[in-house]
Amino acid sequence: MKRKIVQIIFIVLSVLGLITVNYTMFIVFLISSLILGPFFCGWLCPLGFAQDILSKIGKFLHLPRIRVNKNVERVIKFSRYILFIFILFGFSFAILLDSPYRVFAGVLSWNFKFISISSWVIFGILMIIGLFIERPFCRYLCFEGARYGAVSTLRIFSINREVKTCINCKKCDKECPMQVNISTVKHVRDPSCINCLECINSCPVEGCLTYNFVLNKINKEIK
Ligand code: SF4
Ligand code: SF4
Ligand code: SF4
């Protein structure tokens, strides 16, 4: 609930023009991702918020929830990094990616005039998919999230699991919108993590999952 309030406040401040998401701010988000993880994705991004709401609507309507097979997810989650590399090297086929961002920019500036019909259509398709799959755009297409995710693998604050107290119920894995594997690692260093902290909220054992200073950079899989 706290997260939803922060997300709504950020959108309202943006729409009122009290916060401007400009290049400098993206640099700040990038540096903070390097230290704290991508809080922008989990707590501020309007596109992420829109997908969270659609997921809630999907659940409310009892629509089927699609959890992508673990092995398939391991491979297809690289799509956003591949797309990011293509964009870095100037390939301009990114109309598909650009489209939802135009809507995103429109929301932040409260100016929808420059958004083409095709942008709305692609955005709409993604949002419909979001009724069935958690954060599809974030997971497979977003180059901004790819950037934050890549640097966040070096983060010094992250989700820490107390192996001794963990009862292996796997609720954390089930609640994670990005399908990050939490229940078998000591701490989360997955570039897909958006720092939403839903895993911590879902854990039934108090103090088992915490957002903490993480010294050890190596994260072997442990049961
Ligand atoms: S991955 Fe992209 S769309 Fe998703 S929350 Fe992060 S910046 Fe926003
Ligand atoms: S549920 Fe936990 S591991 Fe998954 S994205 Fe949110 S903070 Fe990261
Ligand atoms: S929700 Fe908590 S107790 Fe259950 S598997 Fe995850 S970390 Fe362990």
Side-chain angles (χ1 to χ4, degrees):
M1 192 63 194
K2 268 187 224 156
R3 196 162 67 89
K4 294 279 165 291
I5 293 170
V6 175
Q7 286 169 317
I8 291 168
I9 290 174
F10 186 79
I11 293 176
V12 171
L13 292 179
S14 305
V15 168
L16 293 176
L18 299 172
I19 287 181
T20 312
V21 181
N22 52 23
Y23 188 71
T24 315
M25 257 184 128
F26 280 123
I27 299 286
V28 171
F29 295 142
L30 196 66
I31 293 168
S32 67
S33 297
L34 179 71
I35 301 162
L36 306 169
F39 272 112
F40 175 75
C41 292
W43 292 73
L44 301 176
C45 177
L47 210 44
F49 174 69
Q51 291 171 92
D52 287 348
I53 294 298
L54 283 159
S55 159
K56 291 261 182 276
I57 294 172
K59 282 179 192 158
F60 179 75
L61 296 175
H62 298 290
L63 297 175
R65 308 298 306 151
I66 300 170
R67 294 287 288 180
V68 180
N69 173 285
K70 262 189 183 177
N71 295 327
V72 176
E73 180 73 12
R74 255 183 216 152
V75 177
I76 59 172
K77 71 179 184 182
F78 286 104
S79 53
R80 66 177 190 170
Y81 303 97
I82 294 165
L83 289 165
F84 177 56
I85 291 166
F86 274 122
I87 289 161
L88 261 188
F89 287 97
F91 287 83
S92 58
F93 67 88
I95 299 163
L96 175 73
L97 290 170
D98 195 34
S99 299
Y101 269 109
R102 284 178 185 270
V103 179
F104 163 86
V107 171
L108 291 179
S109 58
W110 212 239
N111 176 7
F112 300 102
K113 281 183 206 147
F114 61 94
I115 305 171
S116 64
I117 291 176
S118 61
S119 292
W120 279 114
V121 170
I122 293 168
F123 178 77
I125 292 169
L126 279 164
M127 294 303 113
I128 291 168
I129 297 171
L131 288 168
F132 304 91
I133 301 180
E134 301 261 5
R135 291 204 175 211
F137 181 73
C138 300
R139 278 158 67 176
Y140 309 123
L141 293 172
C142 182
F143 50 83
E144 195 61 41
R147 218 178 348 204
Y148 299 146
V151 299
S152 76
T153 54
L154 301 169
R155 58 202 285 186
I156 51 173
F157 285 88
S158 189
I159 291 75
N160 190 66
R161 183 174 70 101
E162 271 314 318
V163 181
K164 281 183 194 155
T165 55
C166 175
I167 55 171
N168 206 25
C169 65
K170 309 243 179 249
K171 280 192 180 162
C172 47
D173 295 346
K174 214 174 135 213
E175 286 305 313
C176 177
M178 301 299 278
Q179 279 197 220
V180 173
N181 173 27
I182 306 144
S183 65
T184 58
V185 294
K186 176 77 183 89
H187 47 258
V188 173
R189 275 202 192 286
D190 192 307
S192 296
C193 175
I194 50 164
N195 258 9
C196 62
L197 310 185
E198 293 297 336
C199 51
I200 297 178
N201 295 337
S202 71
C203 181
V205 182
E206 211 183 320
C208 180
L209 284 182
T210 49
Y211 176 75
N212 231 316
F213 181 59
V214 174
L215 267 176
N216 187 3
K217 293 277 185 286
I218 300 161
N219 195 22
K220 284 187 203 142
E221 193 155 299
I222 39 173
K223 307 275 173 193

